Amino acid sequence: MPVHLLDSYNRSIQYLRVSITDLCNLRCIYCRPPEGLQLISHDEILRYEEILTIIEIFRDLGVRKIRITGGEPLVRRGVLEFLSQLVAMDGIEDVGLTTNGVLLAPMARDLKAAGLNRVNVSLDSMRRETFKDVTGSDKLDQVLEGIKAALAVGFNPVKVNVVLLEGVNEQDVAEFARLTINQPLYVRFIERMPFGSDPAPRSPESFSAHRVLEIIKNEVGQLKSVDREPLDGPATMFSLEGATGRIGIIDPVTGHFCGTCNRMRLTARGTLRPCLLGPQEIDVKSVLRRGASRKELEQLVISAVLSKPIGHSARPDRLSEGMNVIGG
Ligand code: SAM
C-alpha cells in the first residue's frame, strides 16, 4: 500500500530537496546574507552515506522525488557516484539537479549516464557584463555551453531559472522568452526573495513576475496558459504560440503558494528545514551520528514534517540565511 507523508495541514509531502554542499564557484549578489558567507568545516557537512540514509527514511515514508542542490552541487567531489547510488535506490522515481551550469558541459554526458532525470540551470542574464556583475565571474560562456550540452545529451526539458532583479535583468526577459521558441527549454522567472533583517547592501530588489508577462506580451508575443505538469512545482506555466518550450513564473514574494507546498529540505550541514522562509531547523545530523535507530530517525522526520508551518506569513518573511546554506 502506498505510504503518504502528511503534515498537520493535510499537505502530502512528496518532494525532498537536498543541499550536498555550501560551497559554490559563483558569488551571486542575492544569494548570501548581508554578513557574508560563513563556510562550514568539512566535518560538519553530511557525508554522502549519511545523506543516502536520510533519503531512505523519507523514501520509506513515501517520498519519491529528490532534487540535489547546493551551494553548487557539481563542485562536490564524488557527486556522480553519489547520484548513481541515489538513482539506483529502490523506490526513488525521480532525481533532479539544480546547477549554475558552470561545470555542466564537461559533466552532462556522465550525469545522463548516472541516470539523472532532470536538470535545472540557473542563469540570470545572457549579457556578459551583467552576468559578471551578478555572479562575480566571467563564466557566461561555460553556462551557455552547459545548457547546450544538457540538451544535446537528451535532457528534455532543460529548465532555466532566472531570478528577477530590479534594474539588472528586465532587458533579458524577452531574450530568455525567445529561447523557448525552438528548443525544449522551460524558462522560469523567479522573484528574488529578501534575506536577513536588513536588505543586503549590494543586492537589488525583485521586480514582479507579473511584469515579466507584460514584457513578453509587449516584446515577444501572446502567451497562452498551459496546464501545470506534476513536476512544475509552484510555477504557473505559459507558452508562446507554436513554441517548443515553455515559460513559467514563480512568485514567492507577491503570490501565495504555501497551501500547496509539498516539500522538505535537507541542508548541507544536516538539518531539516520545513519551510524555506521560516527560521525553523531540526538537527538530524547529531541524531544520526550518535547512532540512532531507523525508528528514531523516522520519528524525527515525521515530527519535522508535522512542524511545517501553514505558511511563511501574509507578508513575505525574509530568509534567515543564504540559499547556499539552505539549498535553493
Ligand atoms: N548553485 C546552484 C544553482 O545556482 O542553481 C544550486 C543552488 S542555488 C542556491 C539554487 C537557486 O536558488 C538558484 O536558481 C538561485 O538563483 C536561487 N536563489 C538564490 N538566492 C535566491 C533569492 N534570494 N531569491 C530567489 N532565488 C534565489
PDB file of all heavy atoms in Angstrom, residues 24 30-31 69-73 98-100 122 161 163 191-193 195 319 323 328, ligand 1:
ATOM      1  N   CYS A  24      30.350  27.124  -3.453  1.00  0.00           N
ATOM      2  CA  CYS A  24      29.877  27.466  -4.792  1.00  0.00           C
ATOM      3  C   CYS A  24      31.011  28.118  -5.567  1.00  0.00           C
ATOM      4  O   CYS A  24      31.882  28.766  -4.991  1.00  0.00           O
ATOM      5  CB  CYS A  24      28.683  28.409  -4.710  1.00  0.00           C
ATOM      6  SG  CYS A  24      27.883  28.617  -6.319  1.00  0.00           S
ATOM      7  N   TYR A  30      22.677  38.118  -4.784  1.00  0.00           N
ATOM      8  CA  TYR A  30      21.451  37.983  -3.976  1.00  0.00           C
ATOM      9  C   TYR A  30      21.439  36.704  -3.151  1.00  0.00           C
ATOM     10  O   TYR A  30      20.488  36.430  -2.443  1.00  0.00           O
ATOM     11  CB  TYR A  30      20.229  37.987  -4.905  1.00  0.00           C
ATOM     12  CG  TYR A  30      20.343  36.942  -5.999  1.00  0.00           C
ATOM     13  CD1 TYR A  30      20.029  35.624  -5.754  1.00  0.00           C
ATOM     14  CD2 TYR A  30      20.819  37.291  -7.265  1.00  0.00           C
ATOM     15  CE1 TYR A  30      20.168  34.663  -6.738  1.00  0.00           C
ATOM     16  CE2 TYR A  30      20.974  36.342  -8.248  1.00  0.00           C
ATOM     17  CZ  TYR A  30      20.640  35.035  -7.975  1.00  0.00           C
ATOM     18  OH  TYR A  30      20.793  34.080  -8.941  1.00  0.00           O
ATOM     19  N   CYS A  31      22.507  35.908  -3.266  1.00  0.00           N
ATOM     20  CA  CYS A  31      22.442  34.549  -2.728  1.00  0.00           C
ATOM     21  C   CYS A  31      23.252  34.407  -1.450  1.00  0.00           C
ATOM     22  O   CYS A  31      23.905  33.421  -1.235  1.00  0.00           O
ATOM     23  CB  CYS A  31      22.926  33.560  -3.784  1.00  0.00           C
ATOM     24  SG  CYS A  31      22.653  31.829  -3.359  1.00  0.00           S
ATOM     25  N   THR A  69      20.844  19.935  -4.739  1.00  0.00           N
ATOM     26  CA  THR A  69      21.193  21.325  -4.950  1.00  0.00           C
ATOM     27  C   THR A  69      22.378  21.690  -4.060  1.00  0.00           C
ATOM     28  O   THR A  69      23.093  20.823  -3.586  1.00  0.00           O
ATOM     29  CB  THR A  69      19.933  22.215  -4.755  1.00  0.00           C
ATOM     30  OG1 THR A  69      20.290  23.575  -4.858  1.00  0.00           O
ATOM     31  CG2 THR A  69      19.248  21.994  -3.415  1.00  0.00           C
ATOM     32  N   GLY A  70      22.603  22.991  -3.837  1.00  0.00           N
ATOM     33  CA  GLY A  70      23.742  23.401  -3.018  1.00  0.00           C
ATOM     34  C   GLY A  70      23.540  24.826  -2.520  1.00  0.00           C
ATOM     35  O   GLY A  70      22.397  25.298  -2.513  1.00  0.00           O
ATOM     36  N   GLY A  71      24.610  25.512  -2.286  1.00  0.00           N
ATOM     37  CA  GLY A  71      25.905  25.590  -2.933  1.00  0.00           C
ATOM     38  C   GLY A  71      25.804  25.134  -4.398  1.00  0.00           C
ATOM     39  O   GLY A  71      24.748  25.170  -4.982  1.00  0.00           O
ATOM     40  N   GLU A  72      26.931  24.800  -4.950  1.00  0.00           N
ATOM     41  CA  GLU A  72      26.914  24.269  -6.307  1.00  0.00           C
ATOM     42  C   GLU A  72      27.200  22.772  -6.242  1.00  0.00           C
ATOM     43  O   GLU A  72      28.326  22.373  -5.932  1.00  0.00           O
ATOM     44  CB  GLU A  72      27.937  25.015  -7.179  1.00  0.00           C
ATOM     45  CG  GLU A  72      28.174  24.406  -8.542  1.00  0.00           C
ATOM     46  CD  GLU A  72      26.891  24.100  -9.312  1.00  0.00           C
ATOM     47  OE1 GLU A  72      25.944  24.907  -9.275  1.00  0.00           O
ATOM     48  OE2 GLU A  72      26.818  23.025  -9.946  1.00  0.00           O
ATOM     49  N   PRO A  73      26.191  21.940  -6.512  1.00  0.00           N
ATOM     50  CA  PRO A  73      26.364  20.501  -6.316  1.00  0.00           C
ATOM     51  C   PRO A  73      27.474  19.891  -7.170  1.00  0.00           C
ATOM     52  O   PRO A  73      28.120  18.933  -6.745  1.00  0.00           O
ATOM     53  CB  PRO A  73      25.004  19.910  -6.680  1.00  0.00           C
ATOM     54  CG  PRO A  73      24.286  20.970  -7.423  1.00  0.00           C
ATOM     55  CD  PRO A  73      24.832  22.274  -6.959  1.00  0.00           C
ATOM     56  N   THR A  98      19.866  20.888  -9.501  1.00  0.00           N
ATOM     57  CA  THR A  98      19.875  22.316  -9.810  1.00  0.00           C
ATOM     58  C   THR A  98      21.323  22.793  -9.791  1.00  0.00           C
ATOM     59  O   THR A  98      22.030  22.585  -8.809  1.00  0.00           O
ATOM     60  CB  THR A  98      19.048  23.108  -8.770  1.00  0.00           C
ATOM     61  OG1 THR A  98      17.709  22.649  -8.829  1.00  0.00           O
ATOM     62  CG2 THR A  98      19.058  24.586  -9.075  1.00  0.00           C
ATOM     63  N   THR A  99      21.754  23.402 -10.876  1.00  0.00           N
ATOM     64  CA  THR A  99      23.164  23.794 -11.012  1.00  0.00           C
ATOM     65  C   THR A  99      23.270  25.185 -11.624  1.00  0.00           C
ATOM     66  O   THR A  99      22.359  25.629 -12.332  1.00  0.00           O
ATOM     67  CB  THR A  99      23.910  22.784 -11.922  1.00  0.00           C
ATOM     68  OG1 THR A  99      25.216  23.286 -12.200  1.00  0.00           O
ATOM     69  CG2 THR A  99      23.197  22.526 -13.237  1.00  0.00           C
ATOM     70  N   ASN A 100      24.399  25.841 -11.365  1.00  0.00           N
ATOM     71  CA  ASN A 100      24.623  27.121 -12.048  1.00  0.00           C
ATOM     72  C   ASN A 100      25.180  26.907 -13.452  1.00  0.00           C
ATOM     73  O   ASN A 100      25.401  27.855 -14.187  1.00  0.00           O
ATOM     74  CB  ASN A 100      25.543  28.042 -11.233  1.00  0.00           C
ATOM     75  CG  ASN A 100      26.910  27.434 -10.959  1.00  0.00           C
ATOM     76  OD1 ASN A 100      27.439  26.666 -11.763  1.00  0.00           O
ATOM     77  ND2 ASN A 100      27.488  27.778  -9.823  1.00  0.00           N
ATOM     78  N   SER A 122      20.558  27.607 -13.437  1.00  0.00           N
ATOM     79  CA  SER A 122      20.249  28.972 -13.002  1.00  0.00           C
ATOM     80  C   SER A 122      21.046  29.944 -13.840  1.00  0.00           C
ATOM     81  O   SER A 122      22.269  29.803 -13.962  1.00  0.00           O
ATOM     82  CB  SER A 122      20.632  29.154 -11.531  1.00  0.00           C
ATOM     83  OG  SER A 122      20.056  28.125 -10.771  1.00  0.00           O
ATOM     84  N   ASN A 161      16.354  28.709 -14.733  1.00  0.00           N
ATOM     85  CA  ASN A 161      15.755  29.546 -13.689  1.00  0.00           C
ATOM     86  C   ASN A 161      16.384  30.924 -13.700  1.00  0.00           C
ATOM     87  O   ASN A 161      17.600  31.051 -13.579  1.00  0.00           O
ATOM     88  CB  ASN A 161      15.991  28.919 -12.306  1.00  0.00           C
ATOM     89  CG  ASN A 161      15.216  27.618 -12.137  1.00  0.00           C
ATOM     90  OD1 ASN A 161      14.225  27.381 -12.807  1.00  0.00           O
ATOM     91  ND2 ASN A 161      15.686  26.775 -11.242  1.00  0.00           N
ATOM     92  N   VAL A 163      16.378  34.586 -11.838  1.00  0.00           N
ATOM     93  CA  VAL A 163      15.926  35.375 -10.683  1.00  0.00           C
ATOM     94  C   VAL A 163      15.747  36.826 -11.137  1.00  0.00           C
ATOM     95  O   VAL A 163      16.620  37.394 -11.802  1.00  0.00           O
ATOM     96  CB  VAL A 163      16.926  35.275  -9.511  1.00  0.00           C
ATOM     97  CG1 VAL A 163      16.537  36.218  -8.373  1.00  0.00           C
ATOM     98  CG2 VAL A 163      16.999  33.844  -8.991  1.00  0.00           C
ATOM     99  N   GLU A 191      10.786  35.370  -8.604  1.00  0.00           N
ATOM    100  CA  GLU A 191      11.006  36.585  -7.819  1.00  0.00           C
ATOM    101  C   GLU A 191      12.119  36.354  -6.810  1.00  0.00           C
ATOM    102  O   GLU A 191      12.171  35.306  -6.155  1.00  0.00           O
ATOM    103  CB  GLU A 191       9.715  36.986  -7.100  1.00  0.00           C
ATOM    104  CG  GLU A 191       8.669  37.519  -8.058  1.00  0.00           C
ATOM    105  CD  GLU A 191       7.329  37.790  -7.397  1.00  0.00           C
ATOM    106  OE1 GLU A 191       7.138  37.399  -6.235  1.00  0.00           O
ATOM    107  OE2 GLU A 191       6.466  38.378  -8.062  1.00  0.00           O
ATOM    108  N   ARG A 192      12.957  37.349  -6.673  1.00  0.00           N
ATOM    109  CA  ARG A 192      14.044  37.262  -5.706  1.00  0.00           C
ATOM    110  C   ARG A 192      13.470  37.395  -4.301  1.00  0.00           C
ATOM    111  O   ARG A 192      12.640  38.246  -4.034  1.00  0.00           O
ATOM    112  CB  ARG A 192      15.037  38.388  -5.966  1.00  0.00           C
ATOM    113  CG  ARG A 192      16.071  38.514  -4.885  1.00  0.00           C
ATOM    114  CD  ARG A 192      16.767  39.859  -4.931  1.00  0.00           C
ATOM    115  NE  ARG A 192      17.562  40.031  -3.733  1.00  0.00           N
ATOM    116  CZ  ARG A 192      17.117  40.592  -2.620  1.00  0.00           C
ATOM    117  NH1 ARG A 192      15.887  41.033  -2.540  1.00  0.00           N
ATOM    118  NH2 ARG A 192      17.906  40.708  -1.584  1.00  0.00           N
ATOM    119  N   MET A 193      13.950  36.532  -3.419  1.00  0.00           N
ATOM    120  CA  MET A 193      13.496  36.611  -2.032  1.00  0.00           C
ATOM    121  C   MET A 193      14.518  37.385  -1.213  1.00  0.00           C
ATOM    122  O   MET A 193      15.719  37.258  -1.427  1.00  0.00           O
ATOM    123  CB  MET A 193      13.318  35.208  -1.462  1.00  0.00           C
ATOM    124  CG  MET A 193      12.138  34.498  -2.080  1.00  0.00           C
ATOM    125  SD  MET A 193      12.047  32.793  -1.592  1.00  0.00           S
ATOM    126  CE  MET A 193      13.316  32.087  -2.600  1.00  0.00           C
ATOM    127  N   PHE A 195      16.709  38.626   2.148  1.00  0.00           N
ATOM    128  CA  PHE A 195      17.461  37.935   3.207  1.00  0.00           C
ATOM    129  C   PHE A 195      17.504  38.703   4.503  1.00  0.00           C
ATOM    130  O   PHE A 195      17.567  39.913   4.481  1.00  0.00           O
ATOM    131  CB  PHE A 195      18.944  37.855   2.827  1.00  0.00           C
ATOM    132  CG  PHE A 195      19.267  36.788   1.893  1.00  0.00           C
ATOM    133  CD1 PHE A 195      19.827  37.066   0.670  1.00  0.00           C
ATOM    134  CD2 PHE A 195      19.023  35.480   2.244  1.00  0.00           C
ATOM    135  CE1 PHE A 195      20.149  36.076  -0.197  1.00  0.00           C
ATOM    136  CE2 PHE A 195      19.348  34.477   1.375  1.00  0.00           C
ATOM    137  CZ  PHE A 195      19.900  34.774   0.156  1.00  0.00           C
ATOM    138  N   LEU A 319      14.562  35.466   4.313  1.00  0.00           N
ATOM    139  CA  LEU A 319      15.389  34.280   4.520  1.00  0.00           C
ATOM    140  C   LEU A 319      16.376  34.571   5.644  1.00  0.00           C
ATOM    141  O   LEU A 319      17.009  35.609   5.661  1.00  0.00           O
ATOM    142  CB  LEU A 319      16.183  33.975   3.256  1.00  0.00           C
ATOM    143  CG  LEU A 319      15.398  33.430   2.081  1.00  0.00           C
ATOM    144  CD1 LEU A 319      16.220  33.566   0.811  1.00  0.00           C
ATOM    145  CD2 LEU A 319      15.043  31.989   2.319  1.00  0.00           C
ATOM    146  N   MET A 323      20.991  31.200   0.580  1.00  0.00           N
ATOM    147  CA  MET A 323      20.493  29.987  -0.063  1.00  0.00           C
ATOM    148  C   MET A 323      21.612  28.972  -0.255  1.00  0.00           C
ATOM    149  O   MET A 323      21.363  27.798  -0.453  1.00  0.00           O
ATOM    150  CB  MET A 323      19.908  30.323  -1.426  1.00  0.00           C
ATOM    151  CG  MET A 323      18.642  31.122  -1.343  1.00  0.00           C
ATOM    152  SD  MET A 323      17.216  30.095  -1.090  1.00  0.00           S
ATOM    153  CE  MET A 323      16.673  29.919  -2.766  1.00  0.00           C
ATOM    154  N   GLY A 328      18.876  26.066  -2.489  1.00  0.00           N
ATOM    155  CA  GLY A 328      17.756  26.709  -3.189  1.00  0.00           C
ATOM    156  C   GLY A 328      16.924  25.716  -3.936  1.00  0.00           C
ATOM    157  O   GLY A 328      17.257  24.559  -4.036  1.00  0.00           O
TER     158      GLY A 328
HETATM  159  N1  SAM B   1      24.341  26.561  -7.408  1.00  0.00           N
HETATM  160  C1  SAM B   1      23.108  26.004  -7.881  1.00  0.00           C
HETATM  161  C2  SAM B   1      22.412  26.988  -8.787  1.00  0.00           C
HETATM  162  O1  SAM B   1      22.918  28.099  -8.983  1.00  0.00           O
HETATM  163  O2  SAM B   1      21.368  26.623  -9.319  1.00  0.00           O
HETATM  164  C3  SAM B   1      22.156  25.495  -6.823  1.00  0.00           C
HETATM  165  C4  SAM B   1      21.959  26.322  -5.594  1.00  0.00           C
HETATM  166  S1  SAM B   1      21.226  27.910  -5.835  1.00  0.00           S
HETATM  167  C5  SAM B   1      21.116  28.455  -4.179  1.00  0.00           C
HETATM  168  C6  SAM B   1      19.572  27.433  -6.280  1.00  0.00           C
HETATM  169  C7  SAM B   1      18.693  28.522  -6.800  1.00  0.00           C
HETATM  170  O3  SAM B   1      18.383  29.420  -5.776  1.00  0.00           O
HETATM  171  C8  SAM B   1      19.284  29.312  -7.934  1.00  0.00           C
HETATM  172  O4  SAM B   1      18.381  29.257  -9.024  1.00  0.00           O
HETATM  173  C9  SAM B   1      19.364  30.695  -7.386  1.00  0.00           C
HETATM  174  O5  SAM B   1      19.182  31.663  -8.383  1.00  0.00           O
HETATM  175  C10 SAM B   1      18.229  30.686  -6.373  1.00  0.00           C
HETATM  176  N2  SAM B   1      18.323  31.730  -5.356  1.00  0.00           N
HETATM  177  C11 SAM B   1      19.357  32.002  -4.538  1.00  0.00           C
HETATM  178  N3  SAM B   1      19.085  33.054  -3.743  1.00  0.00           N
HETATM  179  C12 SAM B   1      17.831  33.463  -4.069  1.00  0.00           C
HETATM  180  C13 SAM B   1      16.988  34.505  -3.618  1.00  0.00           C
HETATM  181  N4  SAM B   1      17.363  35.356  -2.667  1.00  0.00           N
HETATM  182  N5  SAM B   1      15.760  34.602  -4.168  1.00  0.00           N
HETATM  183  C14 SAM B   1      15.360  33.749  -5.155  1.00  0.00           C
HETATM  184  N6  SAM B   1      16.120  32.742  -5.624  1.00  0.00           N
HETATM  185  C15 SAM B   1      17.334  32.608  -5.103  1.00  0.00           C
END
